[in-house]
Amino acid sequence: MGKEKVLRFVLGDQLSRDLSSLSDADPKRDVILMAEVSGEATFVRHHKKKIAFLFSAMRHFADDLRAEGFEVDYVKLDADDNPGELGSALASAIDRHQVRRVVMTEPSEVRGLEAAENWREELDADLEIRSDTRFLASHEDFVAWATGEDGQHPKSLRMEYFYREMRRRTGYLMSKGAPEGGAWNYDAENRKALADNVAIPTRPVFKADDTTKEVVELVGTEFADHFGDLEPFDYPVTRDDALAYLDWFVEEALPGFGDWQDAMKQGEPLLFHSHLSSLMNCGLLGPRECCDKAQAAYREGKAPLNAVEGFIRQIIGWREFIRGVYWLKMPDYANSNALDATRPLPGFFWTGETKMNCLSQAISETRANAYAHHIQRLMVIGNFCLIAGIDPKAVQEWFLIVYSDAYEWVEMPNVLGMALFADGGFVASKPYAASGAYINRMSDYCDRCSYKVKKKEGETACPFNYLYWNFLDRNKQLLKQNHRMGLILGSLDRMSADRLKTVKSDSEAFLEGPEMRSDYT
């Protein structure tokens, strides 16, 4: 007698043939369940392009599995019997296929794992929840590194040391036990401003097929009131297209990524960035194959070390580190607010309509593309939220809504830890606060702004300038405990009483003024 039929439940961010729940799947026996449900699309009001990207990628992945000979039970959003949430979809499929065993890979977020553990208690079948082996560091690996010999959770963690451990473990960019080129990190070589004569590589366009067109129409109808532009839609949504996009990046954009990783340019949302995070986070690409391609380009002399190291650091360093922090610190981490920031999110975060050109550019590009690169997110949007004292929960929700690569595991530690310093320094060694001078140095945004970046006070001064000093003054007691803040806080202490009074009055006028209205319809 053959083995019993197993129902394999695949979630929308698990679109990988390397998924642990599919490792022993038998196309002659097992059924694979996938479901589009309104509950996942609306628990926050996700960007329309994000929903379309995931639904189309899911449908194409299901087709790939069918081509292998698998029976795929795919529940479309507009199916008459769609129950609207994952647990009910799973229960219905168990009844339909009369199975006694279900296998799934662990959900990527706490809320998903809690739901799955409840299903295990409630379903009329045995549910096996397997580890997600697509990451290079398991939960156990990260806890062992983070807690060290004493087994106690530390007060702070630093990505750089985790990254070095991951380099040693994986062997990426290592030579005879030492880092390639003699240094672990070439971040100092990733900060060039973009000259006008630098040619930006032309991105490939992925034409929507019939499946994607059907999804775009569905999303346009069912989620018409969600944030963001749905069309034009040209995202890669298949495994083949994802691999083609990776090849294009390594060949055309990676060589320039190192020098201009931190640069920003008006009307150029992607520059030399990979734009692969959405594909990795949903499973169409694996982190190892991305790093392998980049390392091969370096070994073959096709990309410089500062570019390849920076790209690999984002994957095996930052991406893995952030996931580790999320699972180490949740659920309490979600409520972090060390700086007691309570201001509502301004309405222009939904429209992009603000006189601050840097924010208008970053938010408008987010609205159009469900994407902004990491410096726009950290040093424009995040920096503004930090120095303006925006409520961390509101900022978290916004980031989760608007970006196609955003899931709670990656969004929350980046926002709370890196952008807002809301965890008090657990992730970041200092607040990433900056005045307008940084944005002016790394972009051409200030040339077209209504405000004057070199002006420090008054109605036409760049708001980043006075808000920066106001932030430091407002939080100086807490920040004095941070050794990296000593120099700048010394400058604050030497500021004249009249100058500080102007900083506070300009900040109050702006924060209570029309730019910061929170109403949005």
Side-chain angles (χ1 to χ4, degrees):
M1 181 180 294
K3 294 182 179 180
E4 64 178 344
K5 180 193 296 187
V6 177
L7 184 65
R8 313 274 175 166
F9 192 20
V10 174
L11 304 179
D13 61 348
Q14 298 179 345
L15 310 182
S16 170
R17 195 59 187 85
D18 295 329
L19 199 65
S20 59
S21 59
L22 299 179
S23 62
D24 55 350
D26 185 345
K28 296 179 180 179
R29 179 192 70 226
D30 299 338
V31 178
I32 297 174
L33 172 67
M34 300 178 68
E36 304 165 358
V37 294
S38 59
E40 292 303 298
T42 60
F43 77 91
V44 297
R45 296 165 63 81
H46 294 289
H47 194 300
K48 290 193 285 288
K49 194 163 284 184
K50 178 180 183 179
I51 300 172
F53 164 67
L54 285 172
F55 282 4
S56 180
M58 289 170 65
R59 293 187 185 192
H60 284 96
F61 184 65
D63 287 341
D64 290 345
L65 292 170
R66 292 187 184 105
E68 282 191 55
F70 282 102
E71 178 185 353
V72 181
D73 184 349
Y74 193 98
V75 183
K76 291 186 176 182
L77 185 81
D78 54 354
D80 291 339
D81 57 350
N82 189 308
E85 56 94 16
L86 291 174
S88 297
L90 177 57
S92 295
I94 289 170
D95 288 341
R96 276 196 301 278
H97 300 287
Q98 293 296 295
V99 295
R100 293 179 295 178
R101 183 168 173 241
V102 178
V103 174
M104 67 181 297
T105 295
E106 65 181 4
S108 65
E109 301 174 339
V110 167
R111 68 178 185 89
L113 183 59
E114 290 176 346
E117 288 171 343
N118 287 335
W119 302 338
R120 187 152 50 188
E121 301 297 322
E122 298 167 358
L123 292 172
D124 293 328
D126 292 331
L127 173 59
E128 178 186 354
I129 303 174
R130 295 179 177 175
S131 297
D132 192 341
T133 55
R134 295 175 296 166
F135 291 86
L136 284 78
S138 68
H139 298 314
E140 294 77 15
D141 290 337
F142 190 84
V143 169
W145 172 80
T147 56
E149 294 182 359
D150 62 4
Q152 298 297 311
H153 288 187
K155 294 181 179 179
S156 64
L157 294 177
R158 295 294 169 256
M159 187 278 288
E160 177 65 22
Y161 301 112
F162 174 75
Y163 169 56
R164 293 179 187 184
E165 175 63 24
M166 292 298 290
R167 287 275 293 276
R168 295 186 188 98
R169 182 185 302 181
T170 62
Y172 285 124
L173 297 180
M174 297 294 288
S175 178
K176 298 180 180 179
E180 198 75 44
W184 291 104
N185 185 315
Y186 292 90
D187 188 48
E189 297 181 24
N190 299 150
R191 302 170 185 170
K192 290 185 180 179
L194 192 71
D196 291 338
N197 62 353
V198 174
I200 309 301
T202 302
R203 297 268 159 175
V205 173
F206 296 90
K207 187 177 180 181
D209 61 10
D210 289 342
T211 296
T212 298
K213 289 176 182 177
E214 181 180 302
V215 166
V216 168
E217 183 177 354
L218 173 70
V219 172
T221 300
E222 297 295 328
F223 307 103
D225 59 346
H226 279 220
F227 173 80
D229 299 338
L230 179 57
E231 297 187 83
F233 187 93
D234 63 353
Y235 272 23
V237 292
T238 69
R239 168 69 173 163
D240 287 345
D241 285 349
L243 289 170
Y245 202 16
L246 173 60
D247 287 342
W248 174 88
F249 166 70
V250 170
E251 292 169 11
E252 301 294 334
L254 179 60
F257 177 68
D259 287 349
W260 298 296
Q261 184 181 150
D262 287 7
M264 298 173 282
K265 184 176 177 63
Q266 184 102 5
E268 292 286 354
L270 297 175
L271 295 175
F272 295 89
H273 290 267
S274 73
H275 197 211
L276 299 175
S277 53
S278 298
L279 302 175
M280 276 191 277
N281 290 353
C282 79
L284 288 181
L285 290 177
R288 291 176 183 83
E289 63 189 340
C290 293
C291 293
D292 288 345
K293 283 271 187 182
Q295 179 171 256
Y298 169 69
R299 301 287 187 212
E300 295 164 9
K302 296 178 180 178
L305 181 57
N306 72 326
V308 175
E309 186 278 321
F311 178 67
I312 288 177
R313 181 175 3 115
Q314 287 188 344
I315 297 174
I316 73 168
W318 196 247
R319 184 174 185 265
E320 297 279 336
F321 175 76
I322 284 296
R323 176 180 182 254
V325 167
Y326 174 78
W327 286 103
L328 181 72
K329 298 291 285 182
M330 284 293 281
D332 294 342
Y333 195 74
N335 297 315
S336 301
N337 192 359
L339 301 181
D340 195 26
T342 58
R343 191 171 299 278
L345 194 74
F348 70 75
F349 269 66
W350 305 108
T351 65
E353 296 172 1
T354 170
K355 293 191 295 181
M356 292 174 286
N357 187 46
C358 59
L359 280 160
S360 179
Q361 287 294 305
I363 293 170
S364 295
E365 289 172 2
T366 295
R367 185 181 180 93
N369 305 318
Y371 178 83
H373 70 67
H374 72 276
I375 295 299
Q376 290 176 307
R377 298 191 202 193
L378 176 63
M379 297 308 299
V380 177
I381 297 171
N383 180 20
F384 178 80
C385 292
L386 171 65
I387 63 179
I390 307 299
D391 182 349
K393 282 191 176 295
V395 182
Q396 279 184 75
E397 183 179 55
W398 186 83
F399 270 78
L400 190 58
I401 286 171
V402 303
Y403 292 119
S404 62
D405 57 5
Y407 301 85
E408 190 179 78
W409 68 266
V410 66
E411 165 273 318
M412 184 182 289
N414 270 305
V415 170
L416 290 181
M418 193 68 171
L420 301 184
F421 206 68
D423 64 3
F426 186 79
V427 166
S429 60
K430 70 177 183 64
Y432 277 81
S435 67
Y438 173 87
I439 296 168
N440 191 37
R441 185 168 67 251
M442 298 308 302
S443 78
D444 60 358
Y445 293 158
C446 300
D447 296 341
R448 308 184 195 188
C449 189
S450 299
Y451 296 103
K452 307 301 180 187
V453 69
K454 294 185 178 180
K455 192 168 182 182
K456 307 301 182 186
E457 59 186 61
E459 292 184 3
T460 61
C462 172
F464 281 83
N465 290 340
Y466 47 76
L467 290 176
Y468 171 71
W469 290 106
N470 189 59
F471 163 78
L472 293 175
D473 180 67
R474 189 173 69 245
N475 296 289
K476 62 184 177 182
Q477 293 305 317
L478 185 146
L479 298 180
K480 279 181 179 178
Q481 303 169 31
N482 188 311
H483 71 279
R484 294 193 66 191
M485 298 299 293
L487 188 63
I488 194 63
L489 290 178
S491 297
L492 177 67
D493 289 340
R494 291 189 296 273
M495 185 177 289
S496 70
D498 286 345
R499 173 80 179 98
L500 185 57
K501 182 178 179 181
T502 301
V503 163
K504 291 181 177 181
S505 62
D506 283 346
S507 297
E508 182 179 3
F510 177 84
L511 293 171
E512 300 302 325
E515 283 269 53
M516 294 293 289
R517 288 181 56 183
S518 60
D519 56 309
Y520 169 68
T521 56

